[in-house]
Amino acid sequence: MQRDTDLAAWIKLSLVPGLGGQSLRKLLGAFGLPQQILARGRGALAGVVSAELAARIVSDLDTAAVDAALAWVAANGHALLTLADEDYPRALLETPDPPALLYLRGRRELLARPALAVVGSRNATPQGLSNAEQFARAFSAAGLTIVSGLALGIDAAAHRGGLDAAGSTIAVLGTGADILYPQRNRALGERIAREGLIVSEFPLGTPPHGSNFPRRNRVISGLARGCLVVEAALASGSLITARLAAEQGRDVFAIPGSIHSPHSKGSHALIKQGAKLVESAQDLLQELGIGTIAAPSAAPAPVLAGLLSHLGYDPCDIDTLCARSGLTADVVSAMLLQLELDGKVASLPGGQYQRTS
């Protein structure tokens, strides 16, 4: 019951119009936890925040929204994390503007694992989508949880790759945790809620306002050890995430693309500004000090060399490789992942692969 009372106070403060993170942290520093803040009179509060804001805090709030949030938290798989909780993500806590509340759906323990933000264009190319999914799968296999924003394009591909391996994925929303946006990613969002983690700092029922998404980007980067931009135009919102990551002291990485593609201009601009160029998953893992990926069902070098000989230097799909090598699709897929991580094979649009060395 005490926990519910504490949460109710946190929720009530979070619903006060105009009470942002900076003002709330001032109040917490001055008076203690939310229950102590709410017990103060208007005059005392006005000594820390504006008189108008103090008046809003002491005014009666419709308790229906608070009750609805508490009921949501009580549901299986749901949780509400506050700045006062011991398991609030330390990496996020140390950023300049940590959210006071985090609404969670799914595997809360993922917040304690090392993570990598993977972001990029909503209007991604087929190659960009393939890169995002396969790189995310490789990082997830190495133990990194993939953090992204559930947007169309690169975000969605990164989440799918993360879900395919042990690291799983975290989707940070620009809506309430009860609203999966965009609609086209609803099924993916539901899968993440089951197998990964949904995170939102916004009150339940918050619709997809445009101003919410730049704010959620600081949470994406804040949860992660680094930020990888897979594909981005010069006006891409993913560049905001990269900038925030740099400001938070995170490593910023970028995958280069064609010099003729507008979809790569933002990534190239980041590299010019000092982002670390990534050509293989191992490049990034070494920068983070994680080491070599142990690919699933790792094949010995002679067997991999045999598959390379069947692949040649012309693009080839998995079915053709199976026919040439006599191996099953599962085995060929695992070997191709291992070769890709070694930088010897590149994935191409349309499910094809090509030898690079």
Side-chain angles (χ1 to χ4, degrees):
M1 291 300 294
Q2 182 60 43
R3 172 66 175 169
D4 286 349
T5 303
D6 293 340
L7 281 182
W10 279 100
I11 294 166
K12 180 175 180 180
L13 279 182
S14 74
L15 296 175
V16 173
L19 181 57
Q22 184 177 4
S23 295
L24 177 55
R25 286 191 294 275
K26 286 182 179 179
L27 290 168
L28 292 169
F31 303 116
L33 293 174
Q35 287 195 71
Q36 282 71 54
I37 296 172
L38 294 172
R40 295 285 177 161
R42 178 175 175 178
L45 297 175
V48 179
V49 296
S50 69
E52 181 181 1
L53 194 51
R56 292 176 187 166
I57 294 172
V58 299
S59 65
D60 290 333
L61 179 73
D62 181 4
T63 59
V66 176
D67 292 340
L70 289 173
W72 184 89
V73 171
N76 187 39
H78 294 181
L80 184 58
L81 204 57
T82 78
L83 282 172
D85 288 320
E86 291 184 0
D87 58 343
Y88 190 97
R90 180 159 297 278
L92 186 58
L93 186 62
E94 294 172 351
T95 61
D97 187 21
L101 297 179
L102 292 173
Y103 290 83
L104 311 177
R105 290 179 62 191
R107 298 171 57 194
R108 179 173 177 166
E109 72 273 11
L110 292 179
L111 290 173
R113 296 186 180 180
L116 176 72
V118 179
V119 297
S121 174
R122 287 175 171 80
N123 301 310
T125 65
Q127 183 62 64
L129 295 173
S130 176
N131 285 341
E133 186 164 350
Q134 297 203 41
F135 271 72
R137 183 182 299 116
F139 298 137
S140 181
L144 288 172
T145 298
I146 304 302
V147 185
S148 200
L150 197 63
L152 299 174
I154 297 298
D155 285 19
H159 287 308
R160 288 193 295 269
L163 287 167
D164 285 344
S168 194
T169 192
I170 296 173
V172 183
L173 307 187
T175 61
D178 55 336
I179 297 176
L180 296 175
Y181 175 86
Q183 182 64 31
R184 284 167 57 185
N185 280 346
R186 181 176 179 82
L188 175 61
E190 293 292 353
R191 183 186 173 195
I192 294 172
R194 294 192 304 271
E195 302 174 27
L197 180 66
I198 297 287
V199 175
S200 176
E201 68 175 303
F202 299 104
L204 299 176
T206 300
H209 294 303
S211 60
N212 292 351
F213 295 94
R215 282 194 57 75
R216 69 92 195 265
N217 289 349
R218 82 191 194 290
V219 180
I220 293 175
S221 57
L223 287 171
R225 294 178 58 180
C227 176
L228 172 65
V229 178
V230 175
E231 188 175 68
L234 282 173
S236 174
S238 56
L239 299 189
I240 297 176
T241 310
R243 174 179 58 80
L244 291 167
E247 292 174 355
Q248 293 168 340
R250 309 307 194 241
D251 288 317
V252 178
F253 306 89
I255 296 177
S258 169
I259 60 172
H260 304 292
S261 172
H263 296 281
S264 299
K265 297 296 185 184
S267 302
H268 292 172
L270 287 174
I271 293 170
K272 290 177 182 178
Q273 294 163 13
K276 298 169 184 178
L277 186 150
V278 171
E279 293 181 310
S280 70
Q282 199 61 47
D283 289 343
L284 185 148
L285 293 172
Q286 287 176 346
E287 286 287 344
L288 294 181
I290 293 177
T292 304
I293 303 172
S297 303
V303 178
L304 293 176
L307 186 65
L308 275 177
S309 67
H310 290 301
L311 179 57
Y313 289 92
D314 293 324
C316 182
D317 60 27
I318 289 180
D319 289 340
T320 302
L321 279 173
C322 290
R324 291 177 182 176
S325 65
L327 301 171
T328 65
D330 288 346
V331 171
V332 169
S333 294
M335 292 170 67
L336 285 171
L337 173 60
Q338 189 173 347
L339 289 166
E340 189 171 4
L341 298 177
D342 291 339
K344 296 178 180 179
V345 165
S347 59
L348 303 175
Q352 294 192 315
Y353 294 83
Q354 186 173 27
R355 185 172 176 173
T356 59
S357 64

